[in-house]
């Protein structure tokens, strides 16, 4: 069986297909609060995993989003989708 290889144009391909790959997709504060301790534990154990953090960008305020990352000591997302409403009431 031939192993599939991703082209460089593909978005954030796994570094190594033989390693476990975990993708966290977060958008609002409760998601961040659940994922933060898992990311910390993966780092503490120095697990050799492909870990990707995707931020949907649902927070209306950029400052709010950055504040959450700072408060929870989370790494910057690997991908930021920037999905936002023009009006906070629409979220």
């Amino acid at each position: 069986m031939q192993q599939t290889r991703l082209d460089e144009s593909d978005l954030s391909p796994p570094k190594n297909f033989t390693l476990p790959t975990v993708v966290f997709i977060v958008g609002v504060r409760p998601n961040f609060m659940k994922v933060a301790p898992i990311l910390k534990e993966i780092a503490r154990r120095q697990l050799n995993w492909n870990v990707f953090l995707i931020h949907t960008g649902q927070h209306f305020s950029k400052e709010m989003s950055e504040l959450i990352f700072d408060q929870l000591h989370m790494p910057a997302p690997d991908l930021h989708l920037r999905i936002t409403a023009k009006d906070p009431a629409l979220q």
Side-chain angles (χ1 to χ4, degrees):
M1 182 176 197
Q2 187 176 5
Q3 189 176 34
T4 304
R5 297 197 53 96
L6 293 176
D7 184 69
E8 288 183 13
S9 65
D10 291 328
L11 186 60
S12 300
K15 300 168 193 117
N16 183 333
F17 285 105
T18 61
L19 297 176
T21 299
V22 182
V23 179
F24 296 100
I25 302 173
V26 295
V28 293
R29 188 173 183 86
N31 302 143
F32 293 106
M33 293 175 70
K34 292 173 186 172
V35 168
I38 299 169
L39 291 173
K40 288 177 189 173
E41 187 63 16
I42 290 171
R44 186 187 72 77
R45 293 185 187 199
Q46 298 180 336
L47 297 175
N48 192 21
W49 292 1
N50 294 312
V51 178
F52 297 93
L53 180 61
I54 300 173
H55 182 359
T56 63
Q58 287 175 258
H59 280 290
F60 184 74
S61 164
K62 178 184 174 195
E63 292 78 22
M64 172 67 125
S65 181
E66 289 175 357
L67 182 63
I68 292 169
F69 275 89
D70 289 343
Q71 288 177 338
L72 297 175
H73 307 287
M74 291 180 65
D78 296 294
L79 177 63
H80 194 294
L81 300 178
R82 291 170 177 48
I83 300 171
T84 59
K86 292 182 181 181
D87 181 346
L90 297 176
Q91 289 188 280

